[in-house]
Every structure is written in C-alpha cells, then in structure tokens.
Amino acid sequence: MEGAQEKPPGSSAPDPGSGEPTRSTRGPEVLPPEESEGCTRPLETAPKKLCGYLSKFGGKGPLRGWKYRWFFYDERKCHLYYSRTAQDANPLNSIDLSSAVFDCKVDAEEGTFEIKTPSRIITLKAATKHVMLYWLQQLQMKRWEFHNSPPAPPAAPDAALAGNERALRLELEQEEAELEEFLCPVKTPPGYVGVAAALQPAPTMPLALQNISLKHLGTEIQNTMYNIRGNRQAQGTGHGPTEEASLPSKEPQREGQPSPPDPSAPGKDPVDSLKPAPKSSLTASLIQKAKRQNTFPLFAEGFSRNRTAQEKALALEQQVLVLTKELKSQKELVRILHKALEAAQQEKRATSAYLAAAKDRDRLELVRHKVRQIEELRRRVEALEQERESLAQTASLREQQVQELQQHVQLLMEKNQAKQQVIHKLSEKVTQDFTHSSAQPLVPPDAADKDFLSLQEKMEHLKDDMEAYQTQNRFLNSEIHQVTKIWRRVAEKEKALLMKCAYLQAKNCQVESKCLAGLRRLQEAMGDQAGECSELLRQLIQEALQWEASEASADSVELSPISEYDEYGFRMVPNYEVEDLQLLAKIQVLEVRSHHLLAHEANERPLRERWAALGELAPSVELKQLLRMGVSQEHRPRVWRWLVHRRVQHLQAPGRYQELLSQSQTCKHPAARQIELDLYRTFPNNKHFTCPTSIFPDKLRRVLLAFSWLNPSIGYCQGLNRLAAIALLVLDEEESAFWCLVAIVETIMPAGYYSKTLTASQVDQRVLQDLLAEKLPKLMAHLGQHQVDLSFMTFNWFLVVFADSLISNILLQVWDAFLYEGTKVVFRYALAIFKYNEEEILRLRDSLEIYQYLHFFTKTICNSRKLMNIAFNDMNPFPMKQLRQLRAAHRERLEAELRELEQFKANYLETRASLVPVVPEGCTSEDEGDGEA
C-alpha cells in the first residue's frame, strides 16, 4: 500500500500519482524502511491505501479456477474493486465490505482467505501467508474506519469538522489498541502491495483465456481498447504524449457496471504528493493526460520508460533533497541573524536613550540599569555553568553504569553460551545413547534412524500446524471482537431508527384519527342530505374503514400493526351494535395504537426496568407506585399470585380446591344451572371464551362450581363469572384463579356485596353519588338537570370491577392496583372516568343522547397514563376514613329503608288476608261448580 510507505531521506522513488517518470524494475529498488519486529510498530504507519495483486477463485464449468486480479480499496464506499490488471481503466466488479466478515482456514492452501458478504462468498489467495495476514488486518481496519466515520454534512464549520476528526481519530486509536491485543500489526510486505506491486507486470496464467472474465466481457473489451490506444500513443510520441497529441475517446460506461472508483483510491497518499518536485515538460504532459483520460493516475503510461528518463528523475529528486537541506540551513542562519539584529536594535535603543538624556542623573541611572543587567546575566551564566557541571557528572555516572551493565551482560552471554554448549553436548550424548544403545536393539539401526527422523519430521509438522492454528485463532478473535462491536453499533442505530419510526407512526395515527373524527362530525352535521357532497363523504368514510386491509396487503412489514386481538384474547376493535359507530371504532383503535407507540419507550421500558430491579416482593411505597402505573405482561402472573396469597393465606389449605371439585362432581349444586347459562355469555369479545375448541369455558365452570360449594351463602351471583374469567386469563391456572376469586369476594369487597339483596353494592352506589357531587359538582348538576341516573352504568362497574367497561390494557392496570389497595381504587377510577369525559358529557343537551353516550363512553378511553394521573393525583385528597364514614351512614339509611319496606309489605299482606272474598251476583264459585258436576 503505497499511501503509507514513507520515503526515507535520499529515496529516489518518484510519485506516480503526480505523473513523474518512475524507474523500471531493473533499476535499484526503493524499499520501505524496516519496521520493528513484533507488536512494537504502531498502526499509524500502516498504509492508508490498499491495493495489490491477489488470486480470485471463480468462473463456471471448465474455466472455474484461480484468476489473478488487481484489487484496490475505495474509502468513500467501503468497496474493494478488482480488475484484470493494474493498467485497466474500468474495474470488473466490486465487493461491499461494510457488512462483510473475513475468515482464514488452516486446512486450506497457503495464503487463502474468504470474504463473506450477505449475498456471496469470495475466496481469495495471496502470494504468501504474510501477505494474507496483512490484507486481512488492513481490511478489518478499513471496515471499522468506515463504520465509525461520521456522515459528511453539507456545510459545517471548520471547528466542528476538526472536533469530529479528533473524536474519530481517538476512537480509531482505541480500536487499534484493542486489536493489537489479539493480533500484532503485520509489516507491509514489500513488492506485493501499493506502488511496488503496480510496477511489476501482471502474473501470467498457463492458458490465455483462463484469466479473462467472460462475465464482464464488455469491461474487458473496453480495457483492452484503452490499453491498445495507450500503447499506440506511447509509440507515436516517443517518451510521452505532448499537448497536441490526439485524446483517446472515453468509452461509454456499460449499464449496470459499477462506477469507476475514486482516482485517489489507488494513487499515492496526499502527504507524499505535496513533496516539491521540478515540473518538466514530460511531467506536465503526463499530468494533463491523466486529467483528460478516465483512468487511474497510478496506472499511467509513465511506468514503462527507458533507463535514461529514470536516471534523470533520480538526479532531479536528489537535487531536490540537496536543495531542501540547503534551504533548512539557510532558514536556520536567517533565524540566528534575526536574533542578532534584535539584540543590536535593543542596544541601539539603550544608547539612544543614554544620549538623549538631558541630565547626568538620568544618564547615571541608565548606566546603573545596564550594570544590573550585566550582573544578572553573569549570575545566570554561573548558574548554567554549575548546571552543566552537574549534568556532566551525571553523564559520567551514567556512562559508568552503562559500562557495568555491559560487562554484566557480557558475563551473562558468556555464561549462556557455556550452558548452550553443555546442553548441546548432553543432547548429542543422549542422541548417541538412544541410537547406538549397548543393549540388543529390538529393531535394526537403520530402521531406528528412520523412525527417529520420521518422528522428528512429524514433530516439525505439528509445530507448524500449531503455529498456524495460533495465528488463525488470534485473527478470528480479532474478527469476532470487531464484528461484535459493529453489530452493537448497528443495533443501537436500528433501535434509534425504530424509535423514530414509532414516533412518526404514532403521529400519523393521531393525524388520521383527527381526520376521521372530522369526517364523523361532518357526517353528523350533514345527516341524510342527498347531493354530491354527501356522496363524496360516504366514499371517504368507506375508504377510511377499508384502509387497514389494503395497507396490510401492500406492506408486509409494519412496526406495530393493528391486530384483531390483544395478548389476552380481547378484541382490539370494539364491536359496536350500531353500524353508524364503525367510524368511531376506527378512531378509537388509531388512538389506542398512537398512545401505545408513544408510551412504549417513554414509559413501558423504564417500567420494565424498575420491575426487574425490584427483586423480592414486599409491601412498600415503591411497590405501590409501580402497581398504580401497571405491571408489565411478563411480571403480572407472578405479582398477582403474590397479591392473592397475601389476601387468602389464612384460608388456603393444601388440596382444598381439589376437595371442592370432587364435591361438585358427586353432588349437583343448585347454582349449577345458572352457572351453565352464564358460562358462554362470558366475554363475547374474547376469543378464549367464544372459540368452540377453547379449554377456558371448562376451567371457568370448575372454578365457579368450586366457589359455590366453598361459600354456600352466596353460591353464585351474576358477575362472578367475569371476575373468575379475568383471573383465568392472567394466571392461566384454575387453582390460582379460584383463590383470586375468593380474595375478591371474601377479603377485598365488603360483606354482602354479592348477596341476594346486594346491600353493600347499593351502599357503594350512594357513596359514589356523594363523591361525584363533591369532586365534580358541575357534571352532577348537568346530569341532575336532565334527570340522569348514573347507577344504571356504575352498578355493573363496581360489581365486576370494570370487567365489561374498559379496554383490556387499562382494565388490567386497574386490577393491578385493586388487588393491592382494595375497593378505594374502584372509587378513584370511577371518578376519573367521569372526569376524563366531563367535557363531552357537558356538551350533550338531551337525556337520551346522554344515556346513549354513557352506554359506550368507557370504551373510548385510550390514554391509560392520563386516566391514572386523574385517579391518583387529581382526585386527592381521598382518605379511607371518609369512605368508611359515608358507607356507614348510607348503610344505616338503606337498612332503615329496607325495614320500612318490609314493614309496609307485611302490613299489606295482613290487610289482604283479613278481607273476605265477595262473589258477584250471577257468578258461582269453583266449589259450587265442582259440586254440581
């Protein structure tokens, strides 16, 4: 690689990129400076440009085999181009290294390695193993440099560019240092890469057609014509083309052919091209020809020159070096003269001041000042003289130490040499004893010698194999290290892009939902008016409702597609009974999807991390906050089991559930018929309870029958089926779902909540009315004005804990806090639901519209984070003491009303029984009729 082959002083290799004539291979070769062995050579001296001859395995049929190709690396595209010879104008093809990995195998031929891309595997072979390792290491570094280079901005300040370059340089240096731990930097192989390889003729093949690429025949013809024209011009113009020489016509680029690489790719490094050189007519003509033709400046016709031109070039370079040294000496002389001039000017100023002084006193002061300066300089000279003496003493001591160390080293070397001689003599003696033993040999001496030699040869082969495997292991370790870092960087970029796409997709859903809401309002405003606008509106609504199916078929990859069911089996798109609400269902789905996409990275990921870091579950403020924000899907079964166990640990007994199941099988419970009726009416919008082949209905039947035998006073109440179904969907185990139902009915809800009279449920409805009047007085006044009774909707909310009302992700978030904190959560969320939709309800001016809206408005709540903030922040203060007081007061009033009702019923029955039945005239009683018969 010519870009980094530094030229030592006195080197006479010209710069071919600048059009200078170069020496032929017969002249004295200019080799790169010797590099230190091992890992001491820094990677900064590695060549920046990568090019050279390699053998590529390819072809089809009888032409399949190794073909020599000229390879050169393009830094801008991270592509490795290859052509048949270094003088070809157009490359045959290229290899994309940005996503490639490199491999070398010990059992393959020497110098063979592979470049594996996502689309193909390219097998290459270098001349030696050293050249192979050099190529592999340089390709690794080029790939890493490409992945870490920032994209070039259109216009950036120089300071910002300098900062990016410094950061990139530091990162590359760090990566190089890490790679040095695996594989030591490989020295540049002279004559195999860079200018040295380009100067040499292309290797020849046994058959003429074997090295020709039939796959890229058009490019081969273009390169052949270019070389023919170049040779003719060289013959017609002598040593080089002139200004009047005819320009070769540029061959048209074949369609589909990769574009020619950067002219600077295989050329000299820009640092080398900045060296001063005399501009002769020959050099100027070569530069102009390189600019006119669509060729690589490295492969101009200036390579094949006679010896005289090369000697002239060498003489010119030597003259340039002499002049450069002379210029440096002249600059040093000028610097010394400048210092002397400054001292003279300072002396002149002091003398002028002395002569210009008007009084003797001023002159005397100037003389004293000079005397002080002289004294100070004298002291400095003395101090420097003392320092010089101390340094001389130190140097003499160091010299003595060095002499002593040298003597010690000499003694060690002599001692080592003596030991080596002893070892050599002992090894010879052992060998002689082994080969010429005095005892009777088991085999003839000749056979023993052969066996010994074969074992020795085998041992040498094993050593070579071990060394090869060690080299392969070091390289593969460096490759795995670099590929892993590249993969992590790509994964981070992909994650950032996915976040950006999710954000844009959420914004798109928001815009679309707003457009659909506008269409719905326009539809409501227009009504059934006939006309062109209504027909257009109908078409727009129909296209909006059919959009999902068309997009799903057109686009196979989507970040967050709208699925028909969620992870718990609930239908994502609400199935409203009224056909006019289809557009509203589509708007709701888009809003749910938008909130999910926006909250995924901002809320769900940090929440998962907090749950993962929580560890062992225990009552705490942190756990309370996490449960209010919702439990992630992977942690919810474990958390619910812990919450249920806290509630029913005093009721649980081993084998209790199985006993209740066996009891329900031996004896039929009176509530079994009602359970069977409600079984297939449980969650008609959930596929687990509507699918005929699902096992969830059987599980639910067994859970409800076991509970009816556990609590005979309740047996079964409508609503228990939905509570048990939610527990089954989350916990997926019958026994866990059974104890969850027990915990809700017997420990969380007040006593009598699911009794025949539903006394506690009625009390909570009255408590809710008081809290609504306190927290939302404006809304309650509006509902009272239109005589709307909220208990028609809210009674079912409390009975089944919103199981039929909220969408699944919000419902389960409510249950997370409900199982931990109790019924207070139900009141909080009931108030929050009305607060969430307060403005919409206040806009309705008719009681029928209000009832219709309250029938489905809970399904329109999509933002779970907003609802949670209203429930636990906006509804504060919410003391449990106030809730108990309200419950006690309303229970006392309700029980008094019930007693009064019972008394009124008893009086009515008593009065009716005391009355004698009077038979109207002309009618006979049943007894009389029977008697006549």
Side-chain angles (χ1 to χ4, degrees):
M1 285 183 286
E2 68 277 14
Q5 292 176 350
E6 301 293 338
K7 299 177 183 178
S11 174
S12 58
D15 187 0
S18 61
E20 292 278 322
T22 56
R23 294 178 300 160
S24 65
T25 55
R26 295 175 297 177
E29 295 183 357
V30 181
L31 298 178
E34 284 297 326
E35 298 165 356
S36 59
E37 298 290 340
C39 298
T40 58
R41 182 181 67 89
L43 285 177
E44 287 77 12
T45 60
K48 297 180 181 178
K49 304 295 181 182
L50 190 61
C51 57
Y53 278 106
L54 292 173
S55 297
K56 178 179 177 294
F57 189 79
K60 293 183 179 180
L63 296 180
R64 185 171 179 81
W66 295 102
K67 299 181 180 181
Y68 284 103
R69 294 288 182 259
W70 172 259
F71 286 82
F72 55 91
Y73 175 74
D74 185 3
E75 295 181 355
R76 297 177 304 171
K77 301 179 181 179
C78 195
H79 278 217
L80 187 66
Y81 289 90
Y82 60 88
S83 57
R84 192 161 56 90
T85 63
Q87 288 76 23
D88 288 348
N90 297 319
L92 296 177
N93 207 341
S94 65
I95 305 171
D96 186 7
L97 301 181
S98 59
S99 57
V101 294
F102 313 110
D103 188 16
C104 62
K105 298 180 180 179
V106 176
D107 53 355
E109 297 182 35
E110 183 181 359
T112 304
F113 62 98
E114 292 180 351
I115 301 178
K116 299 180 181 180
T117 65
S119 59
R120 56 176 177 158
I121 299 177
I122 302 94
T123 305
L124 303 176
K125 184 169 67 174
T128 62
K129 178 182 176 182
H130 178 71
V131 177
M132 176 196 72
L133 292 176
Y134 177 82
W135 273 92
L136 287 172
Q137 192 175 67
Q138 292 301 315
L139 290 175
Q140 278 186 335
M141 295 307 302
K142 298 297 183 184
R143 181 185 59 188
W144 179 256
E145 184 177 353
F146 175 78
H147 278 284
N148 286 272
S149 58
D158 295 339
L161 289 176
N164 292 336
E165 290 178 359
R166 285 193 295 270
L168 177 60
R169 192 181 303 112
L170 290 175
E171 192 167 1
L172 290 176
E173 290 176 356
Q174 182 181 2
E175 176 63 19
E176 291 168 358
E178 291 177 356
L179 289 180
E180 283 185 10
E181 299 177 1
F182 299 103
L183 187 65
C184 297
V186 182
K187 295 192 300 183
T188 304
Y192 290 100
V193 292
V195 179
L199 290 174
Q200 297 177 359
T204 57
M205 300 297 294
L207 298 177
L209 293 177
Q210 191 171 355
N211 202 36
I212 296 177
S213 176
L214 299 179
K215 184 178 179 182
H216 310 92
L217 190 58
T219 307
E220 288 276 6
I221 295 173
Q222 291 180 18
N223 293 332
T224 304
M225 295 300 296
Y226 163 76
N227 292 331
I228 292 173
R229 276 199 300 269
N231 293 333
R232 287 179 180 177
Q233 290 178 0
Q235 294 173 3
T237 57
H239 295 292
T242 60
E243 292 292 335
E244 294 79 15
S246 60
L247 298 176
S249 61
K250 296 182 180 179
E251 295 292 337
Q253 187 72 17
R254 182 166 62 90
E255 184 177 357
Q257 182 71 20
S259 59
D262 184 13
S264 63
K268 288 291 289 181
D269 191 77
V271 178
D272 296 337
S273 63
L274 293 177
K275 293 184 178 181
K279 299 293 182 178
S280 61
S281 60
L282 178 61
T283 305
S285 63
L286 286 175
I287 293 175
Q288 291 173 3
K289 180 175 180 180
K291 291 182 178 179
R292 290 196 302 266
Q293 295 179 348
N294 184 20
T295 63
F296 309 128
L298 180 61
F299 315 130
E301 288 82 351
F303 285 141
S304 57
R305 301 300 180 193
N306 54 20
R307 191 178 182 84
T308 306
Q310 293 173 3
E311 291 177 355
K312 290 181 180 179
L314 289 175
L316 290 174
E317 282 198 0
Q318 292 176 1
Q319 187 178 359
V320 167
L321 292 174
V322 172
L323 292 175
T324 303
K325 292 181 180 179
E326 186 177 355
L327 180 61
K328 289 182 179 178
S329 62
Q330 293 294 333
K331 286 183 178 179
E332 183 67 21
L333 180 59
V334 169
R335 187 177 63 82
I336 295 173
L337 291 175
H338 271 294
K339 289 185 177 180
L341 181 60
E342 289 178 359
Q345 288 178 352
Q346 187 176 1
E347 185 68 24
K348 181 181 177 182
R349 286 195 295 269
T351 306
S352 300
Y354 177 77
L355 295 175
K359 298 180 182 180
D360 295 338
R361 185 177 181 180
D362 297 336
R363 293 183 179 181
L364 183 60
E365 185 64 30
L366 290 172
V367 171
R368 289 176 179 173
H369 178 67
K370 283 295 180 181
V371 170
R372 286 195 296 269
Q373 288 183 348
I374 293 170
E375 184 65 23
E376 183 179 356
L377 291 173
R378 187 182 60 79
R379 285 197 299 269
R380 289 180 60 186
V381 168
E382 291 177 355
L384 291 174
E385 191 68 26
Q386 293 177 359
E387 185 178 359
R388 186 183 65 80
E389 292 176 358
S390 63
L391 290 175
Q393 293 176 359
T394 305
S396 62
L397 292 175
R398 294 291 172 86
E399 288 179 359
Q400 292 176 2
Q401 292 177 0
V402 169
Q403 291 177 358
E404 293 176 358
L405 291 174
Q406 287 178 351
Q407 293 175 359
H408 186 62
V409 168
Q410 186 67 25
L411 292 174
L412 290 176
M413 291 179 64
E414 292 175 357
K415 187 177 180 180
N416 187 23
Q417 187 175 3
K419 288 182 179 180
Q420 287 180 356
Q421 291 177 359
V422 173
I423 292 171
H424 181 66
K425 291 179 180 179
L426 290 175
S427 61
E428 287 180 353
K429 185 177 179 181
V430 170
T431 305
Q432 291 176 1
D433 294 342
F434 181 76
T435 54
H436 304 288
S437 177
S438 59
Q440 293 182 357
L442 299 177
V443 294
D446 294 340
D449 292 341
K450 291 180 180 179
D451 292 342
F452 177 74
L453 292 175
S454 63
L455 289 175
Q456 191 174 10
E457 185 179 0
K458 186 176 180 181
M459 184 175 65
E460 293 296 332
H461 287 309
L462 290 176
K463 286 182 179 179
D464 294 340
D465 292 343
M466 184 178 65
E467 184 180 357
Y469 277 114
Q470 287 177 351
T471 304
Q472 183 194 27
N473 185 36
R474 287 195 298 268
F475 167 73
L476 292 179
N477 286 337
S478 65
E479 179 71 7
I480 292 169
H481 170 74
Q482 192 181 88
V483 170
T484 303
K485 294 188 71 174
I486 292 174
W487 175 80
R488 289 175 180 172
R489 185 177 293 271
V490 171
E492 291 176 358
K493 291 180 180 178
E494 182 182 6
K495 177 183 174 183
L497 290 175
L498 286 176
M499 290 176 59
K500 185 177 180 181
C501 291
Y503 176 77
L504 294 176
Q505 195 175 17
K507 290 298 182 183
N508 181 48
C509 291
Q510 290 179 353
V511 172
E512 187 178 359
S513 64
K514 290 178 181 178
C515 294
L516 294 180
L519 287 175
R520 181 169 176 267
R521 292 177 183 176
L522 187 60
Q523 183 185 27
E524 293 174 353
M526 292 185 62
D528 297 332
Q529 296 179 2
E532 187 175 341
C533 295
S534 61
E535 180 65 20
L536 178 61
L537 181 61
R538 187 185 64 79
Q539 292 179 1
L540 290 175
I541 294 174
Q542 187 176 3
E543 291 176 359
L545 293 176
Q546 295 176 354
W547 169 79
E548 281 299 332
S550 62
E551 183 183 356
S553 60
D555 196 359
S556 59
V557 178
E558 195 171 354
L559 283 174
S560 179
I562 297 180
S563 176
E564 186 177 0
Y565 297 96
D566 65 0
E567 58 271 13
Y568 292 104
F570 288 98
R571 187 186 296 273
M572 293 291 292
V573 181
N575 188 14
Y576 295 119
E577 298 177 358
V578 184
E579 294 182 359
D580 295 339
L581 297 179
Q582 291 181 358
L583 191 60
L584 182 62
K586 178 65 180 297
I587 294 172
Q588 179 185 345
V589 171
L590 289 171
E591 290 181 354
V592 171
R593 183 180 178 188
S594 172
H595 288 299
H596 174 73
L597 289 171
L598 290 176
H600 180 70
E601 293 296 331
N603 300 320
E604 292 187 12
R605 187 179 297 276
L607 190 61
R608 286 197 187 103
E609 294 176 356
R610 290 177 65 182
W611 274 109
L614 189 61
E616 190 69 23
L617 296 177
S620 62
V621 178
E622 173 70 9
L623 179 63
K624 183 177 180 181
Q625 293 297 327
L626 288 175
L627 289 171
R628 287 182 174 184
M629 289 187 290
V631 187
S632 56
Q633 183 182 355
E634 60 268 22
H635 296 288
R636 183 168 279 135
R638 177 176 67 94
V639 174
W640 278 29
R641 289 189 186 94
W642 179 79
L643 293 172
V644 170
H645 179 71
R646 288 182 64 248
R647 297 281 185 179
V648 297
Q649 57 184 346
H650 61 287
L651 300 174
Q652 279 182 323
R656 179 60 173 159
Y657 176 68
Q658 299 299 330
E659 293 178 3
L660 294 171
L661 281 182
S662 61
Q663 186 177 357
S664 64
Q665 292 173 359
T666 56
C667 182
K668 187 176 182 180
H669 195 276
R673 182 173 178 273
Q674 187 62 39
I675 291 174
E676 202 66 31
L677 290 175
D678 289 348
L679 200 63
Y680 293 97
R681 293 185 293 188
T682 304
F683 292 142
N685 62 337
N686 191 290
K687 64 180 181 180
H688 294 302
F689 294 98
T690 56
C691 181
T693 60
S694 177
I695 61 174
F696 276 84
D698 295 333
K699 290 183 177 181
L700 182 61
R701 179 190 294 110
R702 290 192 288 269
V703 169
L704 294 176
L705 287 174
F707 179 81
S708 63
W709 283 106
L710 178 70
N711 195 334
S713 61
I714 296 177
Y716 174 74
C717 175
Q718 285 187 350
L720 297 181
N721 58 331
R722 282 163 284 184
L723 297 176
I726 293 292
L728 272 174
L729 290 173
V730 175
L731 300 174
D732 199 31
E733 296 177 0
E734 292 183 31
E735 187 171 358
S736 299
F738 167 75
W739 290 113
C740 182
L741 180 62
V742 173
I744 294 173
V745 175
E746 298 192 5
T747 63
I748 298 179
M749 290 299 189
Y753 219 83
Y754 298 96
S755 63
K756 295 180 179 180
T757 58
L758 301 174
T759 305
S761 302
Q762 297 182 52
V763 169
D764 278 357
Q765 294 304 306
R766 299 188 179 190
V767 173
L768 179 63
Q769 295 287 333
D770 291 348
L771 293 175
L772 282 170
E774 177 188 349
K775 304 288 185 180
L776 302 171
K778 188 176 180 181
L779 177 65
M780 290 302 294
H782 178 73
L783 296 175
Q785 181 181 356
H786 295 280
Q787 298 180 353
V788 176
D789 187 3
L790 294 178
S791 61
F792 287 108
M793 282 71 63
T794 58
F795 191 86
N796 189 56
W797 293 1
F798 281 70
L799 198 65
V800 298
V801 195
F802 304 103
D804 289 333
S805 306
L806 298 172
I807 60 178
S808 59
N809 62 330
I810 300 179
L811 170 66
L812 296 175
Q813 184 176 344
V814 173
W815 274 57
D816 293 337
F818 165 72
L819 292 175
Y820 185 74
E821 300 184 48
T823 54
K824 183 172 68 172
V825 173
V826 184
F827 284 98
R828 282 185 176 275
Y829 271 99
L831 295 172
I833 289 171
F834 284 108
K835 179 65 176 178
Y836 191 99
N837 297 273
E838 183 179 14
E839 296 180 359
E840 293 291 335
I841 299 174
L842 291 176
R843 278 197 289 265
L844 302 176
R845 297 300 177 184
D846 183 71
S847 59
L848 181 60
E849 291 181 358
I850 295 175
Y851 275 115
Q852 288 179 348
Y853 181 73
L854 295 178
H855 181 66
F856 67 86
F857 82 113
T858 54
K859 294 286 188 179
T860 62
I861 299 175
C862 308
N863 194 340
S864 60
R865 192 64 54 183
K866 178 182 177 182
L867 186 66
M868 186 268 294
N869 288 329
I870 295 175
F872 294 104
N873 296 326
D874 297 352
M875 291 297 116
N876 284 335
F878 204 92
M880 194 63 188
K881 182 179 178 181
Q882 178 188 6
L883 190 62
R884 293 193 190 97
Q885 292 175 354
L886 290 174
R887 274 179 168 171
H890 284 290
R891 177 180 286 275
E892 186 177 352
R893 295 194 194 101
L894 182 61
E895 290 176 352
E897 292 175 2
L898 290 175
R899 286 194 299 269
E900 184 179 354
L901 183 62
E902 290 293 333
Q903 184 66 32
F904 179 77
K905 182 179 179 180
N907 293 336
Y908 171 75
L909 292 176
E910 183 179 353
T911 304
R912 184 179 178 184
S914 62
L915 295 176
V916 179
V918 179
V919 180
E921 295 181 0
C923 296
T924 60
S925 65
E926 293 180 357
D927 296 336
E928 293 176 352
D930 292 340
E932 292 177 357

